[in-house]
Amino acid sequence: TPQGSENIFMRVPGVYSTQVGYAGGDIENPSYQDVCTGATKHNEVVRVIYDPEKVSYSQLLKYFWEKHDPTTLNQQGNDFGTQYRSGIYYYTERQRELAEATKERYAKVIGPASWGRSISTEIVPAPTFYYAENYHQQYDAKPNARGYCGLRPLGVELDISGLEEAQDLMADA
């Protein structure tokens, strides 16, 4: 769920801001009700604004992979529907390369934790982001929040050592 994902990232040192929204669908400015029908093809997403001097993109990807189940197609925990698909939406070729590299690494280590399922995460160019309604923003930080998080991580760690350095060397070549 986007609220659960937002909660993961908003606590990471170097992350300045998180916003819950919708992306990847067929209509402009969808509402939560529109997205829940599945007809708009939007995904519920979290946009993360961060300082790359304090947290690397690879570190954010590590949180992404480790804090949800990327093997359940159109599902996060008990939440079902196309709006709950796992996705990474990149802005640069370097981000795409790192997303693909971490996906490949994670696929190799998830083993039995995945119950025989493959990673279903889509990795595509960032579509237009539409803010979700105010009541979705910073949901877990609100008074009387129900504390629901539909994410069910696999409990498997991802080794990201060497990823940023390799990309930095390629960029300098």
Side-chain angles (χ1 to χ4, degrees):
T1 63
Q3 293 89 359
S5 299
E6 181 183 39
N7 191 28
I8 291 165
F9 290 108
M10 65 191 248
R11 301 176 193 281
V12 174
V15 170
Y16 290 132
S17 177
T18 57
Q19 303 94 38
V20 173
Y22 315 115
D26 294 337
I27 65 171
E28 292 184 11
N29 296 310
S31 70
Y32 178 68
Q33 288 74 23
D34 293 334
V35 172
C36 285
T37 68
T40 70
K41 301 180 186 169
H42 285 87
N43 195 3
E44 294 185 19
V45 300
V46 176
R47 182 166 59 180
V48 179
I49 309 300
Y50 68 100
D51 181 347
E53 297 295 320
K54 295 182 180 178
V55 61
S56 72
Y57 188 67
S58 291
Q59 288 169 309
L60 294 175
L61 289 167
K62 178 177 172 63
Y63 281 106
F64 171 84
W65 294 114
E66 291 180 355
K67 301 299 182 184
H68 85 295
D69 183 349
T71 69
T72 52
L73 182 63
N74 299 328
Q75 176 187 355
Q76 292 302 316
N78 293 326
D79 296 320
F80 292 87
T82 57
Q83 72 270 28
Y84 297 112
R85 65 189 179 270
S86 175
I88 298 173
Y89 306 103
Y90 61 87
Y91 291 95
T92 67
E93 181 62 17
R94 181 174 180 192
Q95 288 178 341
R96 184 197 65 75
E97 290 168 357
L98 288 168
E100 294 287 355
T102 56
K103 177 182 177 181
E104 184 177 318
R105 283 188 185 195
Y106 204 58
K108 289 179 182 176
V109 298
I110 57 176
S114 70
W115 298 92
R117 297 183 302 252
S118 300
I119 291 177
S120 62
T121 303
E122 63 183 9
I123 300 174
V124 298
T128 301
F129 174 87
Y130 299 102
Y131 284 95
E133 295 79 358
N134 283 337
Y135 63 88
H136 287 295
Q137 305 301 327
Q138 309 292 308
Y139 183 82
D140 288 335
K142 292 185 185 333
N144 301 316
R146 59 188 171 131
Y148 173 73
C149 177
L151 303 178
R152 300 285 185 270
L154 295 175
V156 178
E157 289 189 28
L158 172 65
D159 177 11
I160 59 168
S161 60
L163 285 177
E164 292 290 328
E165 295 82 9
Q167 294 302 318
D168 289 339
L169 291 173
M170 289 175 61
D172 292 339

